[in-house]
Amino acid sequence: MGFSGAEGKWRARLGTLRDAVRQELVTRQLAEHLPPPPRRVLDVGCGQGTQALRLAARGDQVTALDASRELLDLLESRIEPGMRIRTVQAKAERLGELFEPASFDAVLCHGVLMYFDDPDPLIAAIARVLAPGGLLSLLVRNGDALALRPALMGDWPEARRAFDDTRYVNRLGVAARADRLKELTGRLAVQGLERLQWYGVRALSDAVPDDAPIPDTLDDLLAAEDRAGRSDPYRGVAPLIHLLCERSGS
């Protein structure tokens, strides 16, 4: 299980409606929990670096880690003068050897956990490099709503299977794994990561085509998505869930 080889398909989806909704909602939700800048931020599996660039533009010192040279090149091409961004090409599994304990005030890990058969070692490594009182922003596939996407697309055999199995093949054609909120919250707590809040992401627009363009009504769409992501029952059936956690200790 892993993301390697799907970079080209990922890049082709940048700038589409699905990408814009995901990035904007995560930005809004994250901003409500981050302390004032400057902060030491680690973005694990940063990809094209949308969140890293936005935080750096606000004065943060960002370390952007990704295994893909192709995606890091894309990020580096968008760094503007004055932005403090350091890129590191490495797999997420190497966090423990690359960074000292308590090195960061915030860690972002978006769309990464789904490619790990066993997420516990990565969660433990994140907890280790996160300073006490620091913030973890974690974006994962929602295992409690895994049947909804195939059902909306008319794939009834897959919808039936998804009720009992958190493994799936995503739209990039890559084998992945979803997390159930209650179970994941328990895994995080074991590592001293207390859940502060959680949100749904793309609850209303997940079924749009992969290549759907950004509409003129994007502001209205984002307002509806923002409200859905904060409200029950909508956030519970969102394809992605965004957890904000605090590292315990002093």
Side-chain angles (χ1 to χ4, degrees), residues 141-147 163 166 178-182 236-238 241:
R141 187 76 160 89
N142 184 5
D144 294 319
L146 199 57
F163 282 108
T166 56
D179 285 286
R180 300 187 187 278
L181 181 62
K182 182 177 180 180
V237 296
I241 50 176

Side-chain angles (χ1 to χ4, degrees), residues 43-243:
D43 190 349
V44 180
C46 62
Q48 77 279 2
T50 301
Q51 297 301 325
L53 290 161
R54 290 179 180 182
L55 290 174
R58 289 164 173 78
D60 288 324
Q61 179 180 333
V62 181
T63 300
L65 180 146
D66 203 281
S68 170
R69 184 68 255 170
E70 179 182 352
L71 294 179
L72 288 177
D73 286 343
L74 182 59
L75 186 164
E76 290 169 355
S77 71
R78 299 166 63 199
I79 296 176
E80 298 180 358
M83 286 185 175
R84 295 184 296 167
I85 299 181
R86 176 170 71 106
T87 60
V88 178
Q89 185 180 3
K91 293 183 177 180
E93 294 94 324
R94 295 185 58 203
L95 281 184
E97 64 183 85
L98 290 172
F99 306 111
E100 294 295 324
S103 298
F104 298 98
D105 305 307
V107 175
L108 280 54
C109 185
H110 298 161
V112 175
L113 222 60
M114 58 191 63
Y115 298 113
F116 284 77
D117 288 315
D118 179 6
D120 289 333
L122 179 56
I123 293 172
I126 288 172
R128 178 180 176 275
V129 302
L130 188 60
L135 184 74
L136 168 62
S137 171
L138 188 62
L139 187 70
V140 301
R141 187 76 160 89
N142 184 5
D144 294 319
L146 199 57
L148 190 58
R149 179 186 291 174
L152 290 172
M153 300 177 74
D155 187 349
W156 300 110
E158 178 61 18
R160 290 183 62 191
R161 188 200 62 79
F163 282 108
D164 302 309
D165 190 350
T166 56
R167 296 179 183 274
Y168 67 103
V169 175
N170 64 21
R171 289 195 179 192
L172 299 175
V174 179
R177 183 192 57 80
D179 285 286
R180 300 187 187 278
L181 181 62
K182 182 177 180 180
E183 179 183 348
L184 181 56
T185 299
R187 290 178 182 272
L188 294 166
V190 168
Q191 301 299 334
L193 295 163
E194 178 186 359
R195 192 183 83 198
L196 301 175
Q197 185 57 280
W198 70 279
Y199 304 91
V201 174
R202 217 161 52 208
L204 305 179
S205 58
D206 187 56
V208 302
D210 290 341
D211 58 353
I214 297 176
D216 294 336
T217 55
L218 180 62
D219 288 345
D220 289 328
L221 188 159
L222 289 172
E225 282 280 12
D226 186 60
R227 184 165 180 178
R230 302 167 186 270
S231 308
D232 295 321
Y234 303 105
R235 65 176 181 169
V237 296
L240 300 170
I241 50 176
H242 185 196
L243 290 80

Side-chain angles (χ1 to χ4, degrees), residues 26-35 135 197 199 226 230:
V26 168
T27 296
R28 294 182 184 188
Q29 295 159 359
L30 178 59
E32 295 184 13
H33 298 272
L34 282 169
L135 184 74
Q197 185 57 280
Y199 304 91
D226 186 60
R230 302 167 186 270

